[in-house]
Amino acid sequence: MPGYDLRLQAALDAAESVFAEKSYGLATMRDIAAAANLSVAGLYYYLPSKQRALGMVCGRAFQALSEGLERALSEAAPPDSQLRAFVRHHVGFITVSPAAYRVLLHDMEALEGEDRVAVHEIRRRYFARAADLVIAVQQQRTSSISTRIATAALFGMMNWTPMWYRGENESDASHVALEMSTLFLRGVAAPAEEPAAIA
Amino acid sequence: MPGYDLRLQAALDAAESVFAEKSYGLATMRDIAAAANLSVAGLYYYLPSKQRALGMVCGRAFQALSEGLERALSEAAPPDSQLRAFVRHHVGFITVSPAAYRVLLHDMEALEGEDRVAVHEIRRRYFARAADLVIAVQQQRTSSISTRIATAALFGMMNWTPMWYRGENESDASHVALEMSTLFLRGVAAPAEEPAAIA
DNA sequence: GGCGTTCTAACGAGCGTTCGAACGAATTTC
DNA sequence: GAAATTCGTTCGAACGCTCGTTAGAACGCC
């Protein structure tokens, strides 16, 4: 029954946008039902509860984020290019799906039970993947900055994007990604070998 | 009546920590009352409403943040030192008052009416002050990165700190601030004049 | 006795959730 | 071929509960 799954995704879209706009605690099932063009009881045919709706929204978002990452990284080989690809993908996701990412940033802490454990595990893996890239980049250089802080700084600058980015087309987003990865790569340390020979 | 103001601050402390832990939407006045060791009605003697409590918490936090900034910047003259002082102050505030900063990051959007306008104005000024520092730093260098993105990246890496920082003493925080400002200054561009003379 | 402070108890509203009926399009029955 | 039946889907209406907020009385210190 493809019709059911299509309407489930539409219900999750509605929940996602309402959570993103009002935050989980202030959002009501009546808000979500209105956004989904359903009655409240009609909405419950697709979403078992408000709490599970949050879990499904978060799970769906992180799933898309993680799958996209593997696709993006498979196209680049050297550490610098891999890191640039990672930033491009991450910033791209944030700008293409701002509502989904707002929920992940803002409301993930409101998860409980199994959903909380599962989603946190996906996130942990995603972060670990990024940390590995930072380590690979640092190993090519004489980096004085701790990996822990460098990774955190990288995520910080990317995840702050929703607060100010108002770009429209995809080239705006990849421009942001390009400048951010440049700032990061240059900031983490000068390359071990300079382009011009020293002696 | 110094006793009143002391207990008002205690009530705001309670509200701040509950907001930080549960987020504004999920926090209840009963939670805050319990944290303040007051009955619900007793709490209302100090806080006119939940909404105004959020406004007062945010206002108090931004006030402290802004006042501390002026103090921190008055001690450093050259642009680089000023930016380093700014980062040290900002990261210091986040690590010393994590609850306050969590509320600012997370729940400020839930503000309404006059409180919203007033707090947003303080934030705008604070951000503008930081942007000026970034401009001053960039003018000393050949920076290829847009000021807008650079400023956003700087705020992003600093504001992400609460997500991972678990340091205890003040030296941990200033170490983080040092590495972050180094990453940023080095990343924004190479200095125009090298420390060693060129010709 | 007065006043600043705190309490117990309750109000009305809105919340998440559920019940039982009604819809409509297949599918079956005669 | 029309009537009856099934089943996935949607609905209006309501349940019980918790929320923010308030009234009014009691406390303790000057």
Side-chain angles (χ1 to χ4, degrees), chain A residues 172-183:
Chain A
D172 289 341
S174 52
H175 175 242
V176 170
L178 180 68
E179 297 214 338
M180 279 190 184
S181 39
T182 298
L183 193 157

Side-chain angles (χ1 to χ4, degrees), chain A residues 43-61:
Chain A
L43 179 68
Y44 270 89
Y45 185 72
Y46 295 99
L47 308 182
S49 71
K50 187 187 175 186
Q51 176 74 214
R52 291 256 5 187
L54 177 63
M56 293 161 87
V57 167
C58 289
R60 191 180 66 148

Side-chain angles (χ1 to χ4, degrees), chain B residues 109-122:
Chain B
E109 301 158 27
L111 283 174
E112 294 171 6
E114 289 183 34
D115 280 334
R116 183 181 181 86
V117 176
V119 173
H120 271 72
E121 175 60 18
I122 304 181

